Amino acid sequence: MSIVELFIVLAFIFLGARIGGIGIGLAGGAGVLVLCFGLGLDAGHIPVDVILIIMSVITAISAMQVAGGMDWLVDVAEKFLRKNPKRITFYAPIVTYLMTLLAGTGHTAFSTLPVIAEVAKGQGVRPSRPLSIAVVASQVAITACPISAAVVFFAGVLAPVGVGYIELLLICIPTTFVACMIGAFVANFMGCELKDDPVYLERLESGLIKQRTTTERRQISKHAKLSVGIFFIAIIAVVAYATVISPTVGLIHHAPIPRNEAIMSMMLGAAMLIVLLCKADASKISSAGTFKSGMSACVCVLGVAWLGDTFVAAHIGEIKEFAGGLLAQYPWMLAVTLFFASMLLYSQGATTAALMPAAVAIHVAPLTLVASFAAVSALFVLPTYPTLLAAVEMDDTGSTRIGKYVFNHPFFIPGVVSIVAAVALGFAFGSLII
């Protein structure tokens, strides 16, 4: 029966991936019904705290977006890229990485991709080089963002095994950033030079290449900087509070409010200040693009985490016996499993929620758990992720193109290199902290 149940879990995950969007969450809930009513399993645990944190964080981000903060951040990024055009392949991933780190969503890359493509083309640089690693960096940075759904959920999973929120960030931030720079180095040598690309030359001769001489100026709200400042201070407050109440630091032994609840209250408080001080229209927050994507993430985490926990809780003994020894002998297998799972689930948060609790349950070493975490960002493998497709569409030189064999696209090698480097650095650097 366990094989039948596993097949049902995988079938519903596959169905959700085929549906797309919040489909993985919908399919997860349906899978729970089949396992419980059809096969008699007990319903698993729902990660309520994580879902509430996502809602709180997304509300604050959406308030900042309504106040013009996102437009201001994009404007700053655009000015930075235009001032440093010759090293665009290295500066582009820095920009997308930092924007994801601050905003908690890789979709911020949408706004900078046209600028990256334009600046690269203007310098005669093959646009596929900076575009590919910029998209990868925007995805990998999720595993280092203090307020991302994946990090918040994973921190909760790690707490019982003695790894705190701060230790997780201390390992993930430097290792993922350095790994993305290694990926940028590799991307800088990929493909022929733009002037030698036959596809580019053909498109240039056909008049399909647009040469932009001016840039459209955004209308930046006078309260935009203040909204970003309020949100940034809230993030610092979250990290600082988590630090002082952590057992490692121990400055506050009896915290007046637990870490998860503190994140929720601080984010909601930041949203309130943005609405009041920045004159943001509260009625527009729920219709902001980031709010909609965040609520979709809540549904995805709810469905897939609930489905996964329902199966794992029912078969924890068999899972320990089968996978425990394998991962003890080959710890890197966890990273490989996360890599392929995220490739199908299209979500760092969903992949983390689906697999990390099971890994903890079978007593995988804490160092292996943390070092492998970056592997949940393999969203670039299949050329169907929104930011990847946007990069392809925004490069009118034709250098950022998807090959006929599906996997032979410019995002694949820089992405794999970045994740392999992040996992390797995680094992090396993590051993000094954990």
Side-chain angles (χ1 to χ4, degrees):
M1 285 301 295
S2 60
I3 295 177
V4 174
E5 291 159 6
L6 177 60
F7 174 79
I8 290 173
V9 170
L10 296 177
F12 275 99
I13 289 176
F14 177 76
L15 176 61
R18 289 291 302 272
I19 295 173
I22 65 172
I24 189 70
L26 306 180
V32 171
L33 287 176
V34 174
L35 291 179
C36 295
F37 287 106
L39 300 176
L41 271 62
D42 293 328
H45 172 70
I46 299 175
V48 177
D49 277 3
V50 175
I51 295 171
L52 294 178
I53 288 173
I54 297 173
M55 292 173 64
S56 305
V57 170
I58 288 300
T59 300
I61 294 173
S62 301
M64 180 179 69
Q65 182 180 11
V66 171
M70 285 292 193
D71 289 336
W72 180 73
L73 285 174
V74 172
D75 194 58
V76 171
E78 180 175 339
K79 290 178 180 176
F80 173 74
L81 291 172
R82 292 189 185 281
K83 286 182 179 178
N84 304 276
K86 293 184 179 180
R87 298 186 178 181
I88 186 70
T89 304
F90 294 94
Y91 289 145
I94 292 176
V95 167
T96 55
Y97 182 95
L98 292 178
M99 290 186 69
T100 297
L101 196 70
L102 176 62
T105 171
H107 289 168
T108 52
F110 280 119
S111 304
T112 57
L113 292 177
V115 181
I116 295 170
E118 181 183 338
V119 172
K121 182 172 58 177
Q123 291 295 311
V125 175
R126 186 179 179 87
S128 63
R129 295 171 179 173
L131 284 172
S132 61
I133 189 59
V135 168
V136 169
S138 72
Q139 297 175 357
V140 173
I142 287 292
T143 57
C145 176
I147 55 174
S148 72
V151 168
V152 170
F153 182 89
F154 191 38
V157 170
L158 287 174
V161 297
V163 179
Y165 177 70
I166 300 303
E167 289 87 348
L168 176 62
L169 293 178
L170 285 175
I171 296 170
C172 291
I173 292 177
T175 55
T176 55
F177 180 79
V178 172
C180 288
M181 292 301 98
I182 295 173
F185 178 80
V186 172
N188 199 43
F189 295 97
M190 288 185 57
C192 63
E193 296 301 321
L194 184 62
K195 59 183 177 63
D196 300 322
D197 190 325
V199 174
Y200 167 71
L201 296 175
E202 181 180 341
R203 293 178 65 85
L204 185 63
E205 186 177 347
S206 302
L208 299 176
I209 309 296
K210 297 179 181 178
Q211 299 294 337
R212 300 179 179 88
T213 55
T214 60
T215 58
E216 182 182 347
R217 299 298 300 169
R218 295 180 183 84
Q219 294 296 322
I220 306 297
S221 166
K222 63 180 180 180
H223 300 294
K225 294 182 182 179
L226 178 58
S227 70
V228 174
I230 293 172
F231 184 72
F232 187 62
I233 290 172
I235 294 177
I236 295 176
V238 165
V239 176
Y241 185 77
T243 301
V244 298
I245 69 172
S246 68
T248 304
V249 177
L251 294 179
I252 299 178
H253 297 287
H254 301 287
I257 181 172
R259 187 201 68 214
N260 287 355
E261 285 77 359
I263 296 175
M264 298 175 206
S265 59
M266 289 179 186
M267 286 295 144
L268 292 176
M272 184 199 70
L273 289 176
I274 291 172
V275 169
L276 294 178
L277 301 180
C278 303
K279 312 299 182 185
D281 188 346
S283 65
K284 294 182 179 179
I285 293 177
S286 60
S287 59
T290 50
F291 189 87
K292 293 177 181 178
S293 63
M295 293 307 108
S296 296
C298 287
V299 176
C300 291
V301 170
L302 167 62
V304 76
W306 196 8
L307 176 63
D309 193 76
T310 298
F311 175 78
V312 170
H315 299 285
I316 188 62
E318 298 97 308
I319 294 174
K320 285 182 179 179
E321 183 178 351
F322 175 76
L326 180 65
L327 289 176
Q329 188 174 1
Y330 305 105
W332 50 268
M333 284 295 293
L334 176 61
V336 174
T337 303
L338 295 172
F339 182 94
F340 284 103
S342 64
M343 181 181 80
L344 298 175
L345 292 177
Y346 274 177
S347 168
Q348 294 94 333
T351 304
T352 304
L355 296 179
M356 281 305 195
V360 172
I362 62 175
H363 304 300
V364 174
L367 176 59
T368 299
L369 292 169
V370 175
S372 302
F373 183 41
V376 302
S377 294
L379 283 60
F380 55 82
V381 176
L382 296 175
T384 52
Y385 197 73
T387 48
L388 186 152
L389 293 174
V392 173
E393 291 299 319
M394 291 171 185
D395 179 13
D396 60 5
T397 68
S399 69
T400 311
R401 53 184 180 264
I402 300 170
K404 64 180 180 179
Y405 299 110
V406 181
F407 294 102
N408 57 328
H409 52 76
F411 306 87
F412 186 81
I413 293 178
V416 171
V417 168
S418 296
I419 286 185
V420 170
V423 172
L425 290 170
F427 276 105
F429 190 59
S431 63
L432 303 177
I433 296 179
I434 298 178

